[in-house]
Amino acid sequence: MRIGEMVRRTGVSERLLRYYEEQGLLTPTRLPSGYRVYTDADVDSVRRIRTLLAAGLPTATIAQVLPCIRDDGATLAPVCSDLVAQLRRERKRITDAIKDLQTSQGMLDRVIAAGPADTD
């Protein structure tokens, strides 16, 4: 299928599909004319990519873990032995970022509370 059909089937823009290709997440074949040709497997890959992005993983990490992810239609599951440890490191990174944001939010709350009362 060509890129327009891929956009329709995945809901992902042409720009994002090209970006995924630049990042090594998708490898569509190319016709002699330069047009990209995608397969049904690419549609499934985009779904996995979108899920992993929503989980907070950067594209560089997704490129590493994508070959080690099994998709049973409802859930993604790691199939490579070292992937769980890598995913736990990513989870810790996200947890640390959340804690940092909560600290920032608390500081901002104190600054706001020290100001004049809201007039809204």
Side-chain angles (χ1 to χ4, degrees):
M1 81 190 78
R2 300 262 283 278
I3 198 165
E5 176 68 10
M6 185 70 162
V7 167
R8 189 187 68 71
R9 289 189 54 191
T10 63
V12 172
S13 71
E14 286 183 25
R15 182 174 170 224
L16 272 178
L17 291 173
R18 289 186 186 111
Y19 176 73
Y20 295 163
E21 185 179 353
E22 289 171 13
Q23 298 300 306
L25 304 176
L26 285 177
T27 53
T29 57
R30 293 284 190 133
L31 297 176
S33 61
Y35 287 113
R36 292 166 175 85
V37 177
Y38 296 93
T39 65
D40 288 334
D42 292 324
V43 173
D44 295 336
S45 290
V46 168
R47 189 180 82 71
R48 287 190 297 275
I49 291 164
R50 301 300 294 165
T51 300
L52 293 169
L53 284 168
L57 297 181
T59 55
T61 301
I62 292 172
Q64 295 172 353
V65 304
L66 204 54
C68 291
I69 293 289
R70 183 188 76 233
D71 185 352
D72 69 8
T75 293
L76 299 181
V79 294
C80 300
S81 59
D82 61 335
L83 182 56
V84 172
Q86 184 176 3
L87 293 174
R88 286 193 174 134
R89 286 190 299 274
E90 286 297 324
R91 186 180 190 290
K92 181 178 180 339
R93 178 189 60 78
I94 292 168
T95 299
D96 292 345
I98 290 169
K99 287 178 185 176
D100 291 345
L101 286 170
Q102 288 172 330
T103 298
S104 296
Q105 183 182 37
M107 289 178 176
L108 186 55
D109 287 345
R110 286 189 292 281
V111 170
I112 291 169
D118 258 350
T119 57
D120 294 336

